[in-house]
Amino acid sequence: MKRIVTIQDISCFGKCSVTVALPIISAMGIECAILPTSILSTHTGGFEGFTFRDLSDDIPKISEHWKKYDLSFDTIYTGYLGSVKQIDYTLDFIDSFKGDGTLVFVDPAMADKGKMYTGFDMSFPAHMARLCAKADIIVPNVTEASFLTNTPYTESYDEAHIRELLKKLTGLGAKKAVITGIAFEKSTQGAYFYDSDTEEYYYYKAENIDRNFHGTGDTFASAFVGAVTKGFTLKQALEIAVNFTVECIKATLPDAENHKYGVKFEECIPSLIEKIK
Ligand code: PXL
């Protein structure tokens, strides 16, 4: 059985990060170890007065303990990291645990819709870029891709702009980059992939549902990293993850007013299992 370790926060309510990654990756038949970086009462996207317990100093302690047992991981998957210190500890973790065949997968979760998430300023993307430099695959949204590459964020764009962003992203150091949430027209949305080794681009789109739900980036990233870890090609993995994310959004539409609670991915897990058979 393959084994992933995911390094990100636990948001106790409002499905995202670990509470999305762990069930999705487990359902795909992959062991999922967690390295929680902080515990929040809720995520930071729309809840007032959330608590934040910083677990940064536990990261090296957990890592030291794991080293004693020679633990190894097929994939290291990082998501939301709450501070520069957490990024630095995550870089140390990668140095310690990246073996020959280890895939380093970075979701630079820090911004959306042209804005940094609550709690971050514009000095943060340069630090996240240092983490992206150590990755094999990165999966930013358009805002994150713009901030990581010092490119002015624009709400609308054409294909040439996205390809340029993808080239700049791989210039940070990761060989492969995917930009999520790409819509060139109102009716479709998808993810755009670039492999700098083969200079190949691939865009996979599906139906665009014009509602915003929290945690869709984490839903996509978890299904994508799971499929890649299982050995699907990147194109296949992209299709699996895009289709799964759209299904999760559709399942949540009847409860759209609670968009900040996250998507109802649980109802779509049987379908995800079918997709990877
Ligand atoms: O889904 C990304 C995410 C993860 N963790 C926390 C967040 C967010 C986005 O807002 O606030 C704590």
Side-chain angles (χ1 to χ4, degrees), residues 73 76 94 96-103:
F73 304 99
I76 300 170
I94 292 169
S96 300
F97 285 91
K98 184 175 164 66
D100 281 344
T102 313
L103 175 80

Side-chain angles (χ1 to χ4, degrees), residues 8-11 14-18 20 38 40 42-46 50 52 79-82 107 109-111 117-118 120 144 214-219:
Q8 45 187 334
D9 70 285
I10 296 177
S11 287
K15 289 171 281 182
C16 65
S17 36
V18 164
V20 167
S38 43
L40 295 85
T42 64
H43 60 70
T44 66
F50 54 84
F52 186 96
Y80 177 99
L81 297 168
D107 179 0
M110 62 179 176
Y117 291 150
T118 303
F120 295 123
E144 290 154 351
H214 198 273
T216 49
D218 299 342
T219 307

